Amino acid sequence: MRIVLLGAPGAGKGTQCKNLVAQYGLLHLSSGDILRRHRANGTELGEKAQSYMDSGALVPDEIIIEMMTEEIKQAPDSGFILDGFPRTVNQAVELQKALAGTGRNIDAVLNLKIDDRIVVERLTGRRSCPQCGAVYHIKNLKPKVQGVCDHDGTELVQRSDDSPDVVANRLETYYRQSEPLVEYYKNNGTVFDFDAGRDPDEVKASVFEKLDALVKT
Ligand code: AP5
């Protein structure tokens, strides 16, 4: 199965991807995580991306398209889930061309819909583990010991782009550059909309229901 996951910052894309990986054995390809890995490793690509990410703008298409199409080429036949890519119509067109070259296609587009007010609360309260990438929330998903990762005991950190002013820019960027993708995919295949403002397990159950039906067809 090859899936594209759409949704505003903080809609819960990363959170739901963990469930999808566990349930369907898909490879999780998160453009944000890959960029943050480049930054942590001090690569040239990471340095180029830094100022865009810190301000809440999109990294230029040419950088992202090359980075993600390379990752997709190496993905196993069992399938993948794209989280955060594509994020512009141009990226989607280039993704389609790259997939066509390998005889593959996108099977489903999942769109997580969320209210801006919830986004701000989720992102400013998010904490993550710099070691294993586990994601927590200071109110909704607390670690067992405050400020420490349940899995490896590492001190949790706040993402530098989760400050209220950068979150506002990220939302503005989303509406201007990424939301038009929903219409693009509605015109080019099937998009499943989900109310992502609910409890994470309720969102998970509705996503699994749709995908289970898709797998059976
Ligand atoms: P990226 O890392 O992709 O950030 P994003 O899309 O803004 O998404 P987030 O990771 O912030 O949120 P999420 O939806 O995954 O939510 P999460 O599950 O963590 O991108 C970062 C930057 O990289 C971009 O700004 C851009 O500069 C650059 N970039 C990346 N891709 C690019 C591309 N294709 N083109 C150009 N530039 C690109 O959840 C958030 C919080 O809420 C967590 O604390 C979680 O515990 C909590 N939570 C989740 N679900 C629920 C729920 N149902 N109820 C209650 N709490 C919940």
Side-chain angles (χ1 to χ4, degrees):
M1 206 162 24
R2 286 173 287 275
I3 295 172
V4 166
L5 190 53
L6 301 178
K13 301 184 294 298
T15 301
Q16 294 303 326
C17 277
K18 292 202 170 56
N19 302 325
L20 292 167
V21 166
Q23 179 78 358
Y24 301 101
L26 305 174
L27 176 69
H28 178 200
L29 291 173
S30 155
S31 49
D33 287 350
I34 296 168
L35 287 167
R36 280 183 288 278
R37 244 182 346 256
H38 274 279
R39 287 179 62 167
N41 294 334
T43 68
E44 194 185 334
L45 193 156
E47 274 173 31
K48 279 187 193 158
Q50 183 158 349
S51 61
Y52 299 100
M53 296 175 79
D54 286 346
S55 67
L58 292 187
V59 173
D61 276 1
E62 60 273 18
I63 297 179
I64 291 292
I65 290 164
E66 190 183 341
M67 180 185 93
M68 291 305 289
T69 48
E70 276 311 306
E71 297 280 342
I72 290 165
K73 267 188 216 156
Q74 292 164 29
D77 284 339
S78 51
F80 54 74
I81 174 150
L82 296 176
D83 163 9
F85 176 84
R87 230 176 174 103
T88 63
V89 170
N90 183 41
Q91 290 180 16
V93 170
E94 292 303 321
L95 168 65
Q96 197 48 44
K97 284 187 200 161
L99 287 174
T102 63
R104 293 164 160 181
N105 216 332
I106 296 296
D107 300 302
V109 177
L110 315 181
N111 181 33
L112 300 185
K113 297 174 77 169
I114 188 88
D115 196 87
D116 289 0
R117 191 181 38 80
I118 304 178
V119 164
V120 174
E121 194 261 331
R122 282 189 187 174
L123 292 185
T124 52
R126 172 166 57 184
R127 299 292 181 271
S128 47
C129 174
Q131 189 64 33
C132 70
V135 174
Y136 302 88
H137 189 278
I138 53 171
K139 285 190 200 143
N140 309 332
L141 190 62
K142 294 181 183 176
K144 291 187 185 107
V145 178
Q146 191 187 343
V148 176
C149 180
D150 292 348
H151 306 293
D152 52 31
T154 305
E155 196 176 328
L156 302 178
V157 296
Q158 183 169 21
R159 259 171 56 175
S160 57
D161 59 350
D162 278 348
S163 64
D165 49 340
V166 181
V167 168
N169 287 345
R170 287 163 62 195
L171 274 172
E172 192 275 325
T173 302
Y174 168 76
Y175 286 116
R176 192 165 35 86
Q177 292 182 272
S178 305
E179 203 189 29
L181 268 178
V182 177
E183 213 41 50
Y184 169 85
Y185 276 119
K186 283 192 174 159
N187 292 331
N188 288 279
T190 314
V191 177
F192 299 112
D193 288 326
F194 299 93
D195 172 5
R198 294 170 295 163
D199 176 87
D201 284 339
E202 285 179 41
V203 181
K204 174 172 114 175
S206 13
V207 170
F208 282 9
E209 194 186 335
K210 284 283 179 228
L211 291 183
D212 286 345
L214 199 70
V215 167
K216 283 189 198 132
T217 56

